[in-house]
Amino acid sequence: MAVIVIASAGCAPGATTTALALALHWPRETVLVDADPNPTQAVLAGYLGGAVTDPGGLTAIAARHRARAELDVLSAALRLPTNEGPDQLRWFLPGVSHPGAAAVFPPVWTSLAPALNALHQRQIDAVIDVGRLGGGVPPALLAVAQVVLVVTRTSLRDLAAMRVHLPSLQQHHEQLDATAHVAVVVIGEGQPYTGHEIERVFGLPVWGRLADDPDTAAVYSDGEPPAKRHHRSPLVTSVAHMVEHLRGRIRPVTVGVSR
């Protein structure tokens, strides 16, 4: 099983679009978790087009936590429509619904993290979008992750934001003695810096090089209808390459969160 955490280095590089595309193209049944502390509602209003009136999601999970009930992740999740990627079910766990709600979530994460980790018993993997690094990655989620992917564009402005926020992630990683790999996903390589240059400066491997393909990205970010050659578009092709790269580096783990 896999638990993949995706974070934005800053400057809105496309981390949510990356997380959604990864979840849709992952080769196993997958649940996408919106763990962004800021209630952007990006997937609900974008990919799902505002069609869901009662999303459940983390609000329902928090209510079950307060009631000390068992946390069944999929009972609070929505089915994600898709006609791409492997023939597997896709789920979405919507995030917090109003500003400030995330402040009461630390104990909820502590209960939810092992529930996400235990999804391997149902052959389900998790992709968790935690928003910008400046918001802090919940330690409980970091503890169960196999991979933490930091998404950035390659401009100096974006890389400067990553330099500011990355040390706090690395510090928390070390304090937890977490086993997760921390790696980078670059969007628009060579605009102007390359993945190799970013690896050299930050000391982290680049595990994804996604095409800067706004038309295809709009399918995921805004629910635009896919073009006729969507499956062969630069973005979808680069997502497929990233999936294969990740699959070769994620080792299955057993349930058990002791931190």
Side-chain angles (χ1 to χ4, degrees):
M1 58 84 63
V3 176
I4 302 171
V5 168
I6 295 183
S8 162
C11 304
T16 298
T17 296
T18 299
L20 176 57
L22 179 61
L24 292 175
H25 287 273
W26 195 250
R28 294 180 8 131
E29 187 171 347
T30 309
V31 57
L32 172 65
V33 180
D34 179 1
D36 190 335
N38 297 304
T40 62
Q41 308 289 292
V43 176
L44 289 172
Y47 185 72
L48 294 176
V52 178
T53 57
D54 183 15
L58 290 184
T59 300
I61 291 289
R64 293 186 66 83
H65 172 80
R66 289 193 297 271
R68 299 185 179 181
E70 181 181 357
L71 299 188
D72 182 352
V73 175
L74 297 190
S75 69
L78 310 170
R79 285 276 299 274
L80 276 177
T82 178
N83 60 356
E84 57 186 300
D87 186 19
Q88 300 282 355
L89 291 177
R90 309 293 160 179
W91 302 89
F92 174 56
L93 191 67
V96 296
S97 57
H98 59 85
V104 302
F105 260 78
V108 180
W109 297 130
T110 302
S111 298
L112 180 59
L116 291 169
N117 199 27
L119 286 174
H120 87 289
Q121 297 172 345
R122 300 165 70 172
Q123 301 297 307
I124 302 172
D125 294 331
V127 177
I128 307 174
D129 177 8
V130 298
R132 296 191 180 189
L133 283 176
V137 180
L141 299 182
L142 186 59
V144 298
Q146 281 80 62
V147 177
V148 178
L149 298 176
V150 180
V151 180
T152 183
R153 291 184 177 270
T154 63
S155 71
L156 183 59
R157 182 172 67 112
D158 289 271
L159 297 178
M162 187 162 75
R163 182 181 289 279
V164 169
H165 295 295
L166 187 60
S168 63
L169 170 64
Q170 294 172 314
Q171 181 181 15
H172 291 150
H173 186 273
E174 293 172 0
Q175 289 173 343
L176 288 167
D177 193 25
T179 59
H181 297 283
V182 179
V184 179
V185 174
V186 298
I187 298 177
E189 184 174 27
Q191 299 176 359
Y193 296 103
T194 67
H196 294 302
E197 289 172 315
I198 292 169
E199 287 179 330
R200 186 170 64 251
V201 170
F202 289 94
L204 293 175
V206 172
W207 281 7
R209 291 171 163 85
L210 300 188
D212 185 8
D213 180 3
D215 290 340
T216 306
V219 174
Y220 305 106
S221 63
D222 296 285
E224 294 292 335
K228 185 176 181 179
R229 296 176 64 85
H230 173 78
H231 296 289
R232 298 182 182 179
S233 66
L235 178 57
V236 170
T237 300
S238 59
V239 169
H241 288 319
M242 180 174 69
V243 166
E244 289 305 310
H245 193 90
L246 290 171
R247 288 183 66 198
R249 285 158 177 78
I250 296 177
R251 292 179 296 180
V253 299
T254 57
V255 173
V257 182
S258 59
R259 300 177 180 90

